[in-house]
Amino acid sequence: MGRQNRSSSNAASEGKQHFSHLHILKLIVNPPESETLTCNACEQPNIRNKPFYGCNSCQYFLHENCFNAPRFLNHSSHPSHPLTLLPIPTYSSRSYTCKACGSAGSGFCFSCACCEFDIHLHCASCPSSILVDEHPHQLGLQFGSPYEDKSIDYVCDVCNVKMNKDDWLYYCADCDFGSHLQCAVTNPEVGVFPKQQRPVPNPNPNPNPVPNRNPNATLEMINAANEAHEQILAAQISAQIAARGREACLDLIGPSRRYSYY
């Protein structure tokens, strides 16, 4: 007979700390059916009665998968840079436009500050392939137009609406069948992300390294590199917020003036 792990059950009842909220979030296993809780991360309601973490005093709730979303994500849609999980958009409008589905968001996002690239959590966890009722073959996830000629217009074969060429889609190349993300996934939810490993700078770039006699030196250098990386990201986000705040102030004052000097 299996024994209950009391330490894990006690930890769940005591709650967990999440970086996005000041208070401890407690596990809500069976929310009342009459009460619809909305996740602050993905902005989706808890219609499937899945476990939630929440702070009742602040009415702040997170799906379990949203709670466990990684702080950094290497995503194939944006191979140039890793994406950072942001609890609030850094734009002055306090919203962002998802580069995956083209719709607005005001909750969590995976973001690249230097490229102004933002995607919803549920878009970031979209499966690489999917089956839909309207087509017999699997559809593969495409990050933009599936055609070599990017000027070609095309429509969603599910809703027959013209598609944005920059938005992601599910596509069957053999049949030239394409679908919006939201048409293929009618009830979007955040999936389980694969375990992420942040790239660590090489602490000893010398091609002919001298053997390290101190076994803790390498670990100390890696920890220092990680701390420096965190500080750089924080500085980038702070600078972006400040710049967009200045832009918002200038917009309130009036149209910008341009001067030419000869």
Side-chain angles (χ1 to χ4, degrees):
M1 181 181 294
R3 296 185 179 181
Q4 182 181 3
N5 188 335
R6 293 187 177 181
S7 60
S8 61
S9 62
N10 289 339
S13 62
E14 291 173 2
K16 294 182 180 180
Q17 183 73 58
H18 194 266
F19 78 97
S20 66
H21 195 68
L22 292 175
H23 304 144
I24 296 294
L25 303 183
K26 293 188 176 181
L27 183 63
I28 305 172
V29 180
N30 293 311
E33 293 183 2
S34 59
E35 184 179 1
T36 300
L37 305 180
T38 300
C39 177
N40 286 72
C42 67
E43 304 175 86
Q44 299 294 321
N46 190 33
I47 57 176
R48 299 189 181 182
N49 290 327
K50 290 192 175 181
F52 251 42
Y53 284 96
C55 172
N56 283 323
S57 60
C58 299
Q59 289 295 290
Y60 188 90
F61 304 102
L62 297 177
H63 284 112
E64 188 172 27
N65 285 350
C66 295
F67 184 98
N68 294 322
R71 295 289 301 273
F72 302 94
L73 181 67
N74 294 303
H75 201 277
S76 51
S77 66
H78 193 72
S80 306
H81 309 108
L83 304 179
T84 303
L85 181 63
L86 299 181
I88 56 172
T90 59
Y91 304 95
S92 58
S93 61
R94 286 293 181 264
S95 66
Y96 64 92
T97 301
C98 177
K99 296 293 185 183
C101 65
S103 61
S106 57
F108 285 23
C109 68
F110 280 109
S111 175
C112 175
C114 57
C115 298
E116 296 193 353
F117 182 92
D118 309 277
I119 53 177
H120 292 118
L121 267 67
H122 55 267
C123 291
S125 63
C126 279
S128 58
S129 61
I130 196 171
L131 278 171
V132 296
D133 294 337
E134 293 80 5
H135 194 69
H137 306 144
Q138 276 201 334
L139 308 181
L141 183 62
Q142 296 275 336
F143 305 126
S145 173
Y147 305 111
E148 290 186 11
D149 184 356
K150 302 303 180 185
S151 64
I152 295 177
D153 293 326
Y154 49 93
V155 299
C156 172
D157 290 299
V158 176
C159 68
N160 294 316
V161 172
K162 183 179 177 181
M163 301 181 71
N164 187 320
K165 300 169 190 174
D166 295 325
D167 289 352
W168 301 1
L169 72 155
Y170 281 106
Y171 184 68
C172 173
D174 292 338
C175 305
D176 192 29
F177 182 98
S179 166
H180 289 114
L181 296 187
Q182 59 268 30
C183 291
V185 185
T186 54
N187 293 313
E189 61 179 341
V190 176
V192 177
F193 292 92
K195 187 175 181 180
Q196 298 294 311
Q197 224 172 10
R198 190 191 312 170
V200 177
N202 183 4
N204 194 355
N206 187 352
N208 298 311
V210 178
N212 186 8
R213 299 179 182 230
N214 182 1
N216 295 323
T218 301
L219 180 60
E220 291 172 359
M221 294 183 73
I222 291 174
N223 290 336
N226 284 342
E227 185 177 353
H229 182 69
E230 293 273 8
Q231 291 174 352
I232 291 171
L233 284 175
Q236 288 176 340
I237 293 172
S238 298
Q240 189 179 29
I241 294 174
R244 285 170 182 159
R246 289 193 294 270
E247 290 175 4
C249 291
L250 290 175
D251 290 339
L252 291 174
I253 294 172
S256 59
R257 299 180 181 179
R258 299 181 180 272
Y259 298 92
S260 299
Y261 298 90
Y262 301 93

